[in-house]
Amino acid sequence: MPRMSRRTLLRSMAVGGAAVSVPGLLTACSSDSGDSDVSNAGKKLAPWPAYRPAAGPEPDLAPTDAGVQAGYTAYPSDLVKSVSRTPGDGSTVRVMTVSFGTPPKPASQNRFWAAVEKALGVKIEYTIISQADYQKKMATVMAGDADALPDIINMFAGFTLPREAQFVQRRAQDLTPYLSGDAIADYPNLAGIPTHAWRDMGRIGGRIYGIPLERPLPGSTLWINQDMFADAGMKEGWTAEDFTAVARRGTRGKTYMLGAANGSLFGNAFHSAAHNAPQRWAVTKDGTFLPAWADERYKASIAFQTQLRKNGSYHPDATSISQIDLTTLYYNGTVGSMQDGFGAYLPKYRESKGKMSPAAALPYSVGGEPGAIVAARRSFGYTVLKKARKERIELLLRILDYLAAPFGSQEWELVHYGVEGVHFTRGKDGSPEFTKLGEVENNTNLPLKYLAEGPQVLFVPGMPDAVRALHAWQREVVPHAIRDASFGLQSATNNSQGATLKTFLDDTVTGIIAGRLPLTEWDAAVKKWRSRGGDRMAEEYAKDYAANT
């Protein structure tokens, strides 16, 4: 595989906005054992870990094989115990994860932190990286000394890190002997992570290097203010024309029906799926990989959004506002909708309670064909371990096994809510309700959930109707989810140039919808993307797909 050129690397970092230590990263890329083959093609593939669902309370709303989540309308009254022993040995464990919260209080002043340490039997030295700083920090970590790596590292899925697979293969522990096949039985909660999460995390060079963070099937979702959309004429079975009329009718004064955040391409994921366009990559029956961007339905979604922008339905700051600020506008009614991950449903319902009624939008139909939704990667990143002796790796895996406890277990309650009477009390239905202390000492600000987590379920404390609505929505849309066929596959070109090339296309989409570029620019942009690496990606994905099939 070719080495990454200095020019490519600099371009990639500039696009990502990462003020990284350039010399350090360049050194890392050109030293050590050099470029390695991370492809799975031609390799003996490690069997996926044998799936054994963890024991727990029966759900009120059943899951389906197609991907609808289990739903709990009430908190389980009898929690199970999923771990039989304290995992740790009193040693110190250094961990690092991304964070979407505010920095936590220091360990010495944090009772949540202390309670988790006691349960795990280790001292935790936590490096917490805000999402905004993640690429910069990871560039430094990936370029640094292997001995200085944290014991446990969260590889966040929100960014394409240049040469990520090569870094993992070179610096992280090969976990195949510990987790592949029946070996995972030593870690029952990790064995409860469904195979789809391991598959979408993928192998590297045929081996298993990480532990996936399982996520529900629905991905980017249009969250609407249900009352605003209903008042503007939203109806069952709506069409693209209906959507346009509702968006236009409900927009007045300084209230806009469509909100979007910087980098979201005006919420293009929802609209391209409604147009039944592939999501990044599609694969044909003969194994040929087709890029979404060359699909006429994708181009049609751009044209559709351009008209929505022209008629004034989008908030005027749709290309510059942050996701956090957009969420505030959504809660206060300035915008009637926003695109966000489906997994964001919990804060949507909890933080808007009494202010507005959030709901996941059903896709509209286009030309008589029912619309689809975006299928998420079933692994929201993954966790890797620093290379260490066997006993140390087993200790770290026991810790992750504890953190991966299922919903309805004592361990899950501690990691997600802290200590009863300190961080939470019980509501009338037994659901945990955060205390004032629990609102600042929790797993958002101390993001243990990005180290390991059990399979996610639908549950909104004290809001059973919200759970029923979300479950009903999933039953309707999950059969029409469009999955990116490249999930879990390796492409050397994508590893080295994917971030740069994707940003080039994303900027073009944004420019067209914003009115800075004509729609006729799109075909030329796709042609350039294909010639600069897109076609090579298609060939590499096809080769890896064949090896995994």
Side-chain angles (χ1 to χ4, degrees):
M1 189 187 70
R3 290 179 182 274
M4 173 185 261
S5 71
R6 183 182 183 90
R7 182 179 179 185
T8 299
L9 174 61
L10 290 173
R11 187 169 62 235
S12 174
M13 292 190 298
V15 167
V20 299
S21 172
V22 175
L25 184 52
L26 287 174
T27 298
C29 290
S30 58
S31 62
D32 209 314
S33 59
D35 294 328
S36 51
D37 181 8
V38 297
S39 168
N40 294 292
K43 312 288 173 53
K44 182 179 180 181
L45 303 181
W48 294 124
Y51 173 55
R52 294 186 177 87
E58 287 294 316
D60 303 299
L61 303 169
T64 71
D65 292 339
V68 175
Q69 289 179 276
Y72 291 83
T73 58
Y75 193 66
S77 55
D78 296 317
L79 302 181
V80 301
K81 188 168 179 57
S82 70
V83 173
S84 60
R85 56 174 283 198
T86 301
D89 59 1
S91 61
T92 296
V93 175
R94 298 172 60 232
V95 306
M96 186 175 77
T97 68
V98 70
S99 173
F100 296 86
T102 57
K105 292 187 291 186
S108 60
Q109 304 170 25
N110 194 317
R111 297 178 68 180
F112 176 64
W113 196 327
V116 173
E117 284 186 329
K118 180 180 179 182
L120 296 178
V122 293
K123 290 291 182 184
I124 301 174
E125 288 186 3
Y126 215 129
T127 300
I128 297 172
I129 315 169
S130 70
Q131 181 198 18
D133 295 331
Y134 184 80
Q135 284 182 298
K136 175 183 175 182
K137 178 64 178 178
M138 282 305 297
T140 303
V141 169
M142 292 167 73
D145 187 344
D147 293 336
L149 288 174
D151 297 295
I152 305 175
I153 306 172
N154 155 239
M155 304 298 294
F156 172 47
F159 299 105
T160 300
L161 298 173
R163 303 169 61 76
E164 176 179 315
Q166 285 85 350
F167 163 77
V168 170
Q169 187 181 55
R170 197 167 58 239
R171 296 288 171 81
Q173 179 72 43
D174 179 358
L175 298 176
T176 306
Y178 303 89
L179 303 178
S180 181
D182 291 330
I184 201 170
D186 290 340
Y187 311 98
N189 289 333
L190 296 181
I193 297 173
T195 303
H196 58 239
W198 299 96
R199 179 202 61 193
D200 277 11
M201 175 187 74
R203 304 178 183 92
I204 298 175
R207 310 292 286 178
I208 298 171
Y209 281 88
I211 295 170
L213 300 167
E214 196 264 357
R215 285 298 182 270
L217 186 147
S220 292
T221 300
L222 187 70
W223 289 97
I224 60 173
N225 182 320
Q226 194 160 220
D227 292 337
M228 287 176 65
F229 271 70
D231 291 344
M234 181 182 66
K235 60 184 180 182
E236 288 285 332
W238 60 353
T239 65
E241 292 74 23
D242 295 330
F243 184 93
T244 301
V246 168
R248 188 72 196 98
R249 195 177 298 127
T251 298
R252 61 177 69 89
K254 294 187 177 180
T255 299
Y256 303 87
M257 291 294 273
L258 306 179
N262 177 28
S264 75
L265 320 187
F266 288 83
N268 174 262
F270 170 79
H271 294 287
S272 61
H275 280 72
N276 283 288
Q279 296 300 304
R280 293 189 71 238
W281 291 98
V283 61
T284 64
K285 290 182 179 178
D286 67 358
T288 301
F289 269 64
L290 303 174
W293 303 284
D295 192 293
E296 286 299 315
R297 292 167 294 187
Y298 189 83
K299 184 178 177 181
S301 73
I302 300 173
F304 179 73
Q305 291 175 264
T306 302
Q307 292 305 312
L308 292 173
R309 198 274 309 165
K310 282 183 177 178
N311 72 24
S313 297
Y314 278 104
H315 189 279
D317 295 335
T319 60
S320 59
I321 196 169
S322 70
Q323 185 79 354
I324 293 175
D325 290 340
L326 177 64
T327 303
T328 300
L329 298 182
Y330 175 63
Y331 289 155
N332 68 23
T334 299
V335 299
S337 66
M338 64 177 290
Q339 182 174 286
D340 203 349
F342 175 80
Y345 76 84
L346 190 57
K348 291 276 185 301
Y349 280 93
R350 291 173 57 172
E351 295 174 19
S352 68
K353 192 173 182 179
K355 303 174 186 173
M356 47 87 76
S357 299
L362 290 168
Y364 50 78
S365 62
V366 179
E369 185 176 0
I373 65 163
V374 179
R377 189 171 193 159
R378 307 302 299 276
S379 172
F380 187 65
Y382 53 99
T383 299
V384 299
L385 306 182
K386 175 183 175 180
K387 290 181 179 179
R389 68 184 189 282
K390 180 174 181 288
E391 293 76 15
R392 181 69 171 174
I393 294 299
E394 290 173 341
L395 180 149
L396 299 176
L397 288 174
R398 289 197 301 273
I399 289 172
L400 296 176
D401 184 64
Y402 186 108
L403 298 177
F407 178 81
S409 68
Q410 296 172 21
E411 294 80 12
W412 185 93
E413 183 173 272
L414 172 66
V415 173
H416 286 76
Y417 283 96
V419 179
E420 185 173 3
V422 177
H423 299 103
F424 73 92
T425 58
R426 302 282 179 190
K428 291 180 180 178
D429 64 349
S431 296
E433 294 180 349
F434 280 123
T435 62
K436 289 292 184 184
L437 185 63
E439 291 177 357
V440 294
E441 292 187 1
N442 52 48
N443 77 348
T444 295
N445 297 337
L446 188 70
L448 299 160
K449 57 188 173 184
Y450 298 131
L451 293 174
E453 194 170 26
Q456 294 200 341
V457 302
L458 287 171
F459 174 64
V460 185
M463 302 179 72
D465 288 344
V467 175
R468 294 188 187 96
L470 291 168
H471 193 266
W473 179 83
Q474 285 199 2
R475 289 186 67 87
E476 188 157 354
V477 302
V478 159
H480 307 290
I482 301 175
R483 181 176 182 271
D484 178 350
S486 75
F487 285 159
L489 302 180
Q490 295 292 342
S491 157
T493 303
N494 184 60
N495 281 332
S496 61
Q497 302 176 49
T500 302
L501 291 172
K502 182 175 183 302
T503 299
F504 164 66
L505 288 182
D506 287 353
D507 289 347
T508 305
V509 172
T510 300
I512 292 171
I513 299 174
R516 297 192 296 268
L517 297 171
L519 182 61
T520 52
E521 282 287 319
W522 181 245
D523 292 339
V526 173
K527 184 178 180 181
K528 185 180 293 184
W529 172 86
R530 298 185 75 142
S531 67
R532 291 187 175 183
D535 285 343
R536 285 201 304 278
M537 288 185 210
E539 295 170 3
E540 291 161 358
Y541 279 134
K543 193 175 179 182
D544 215 57
Y545 176 77
N548 277 276
T549 303

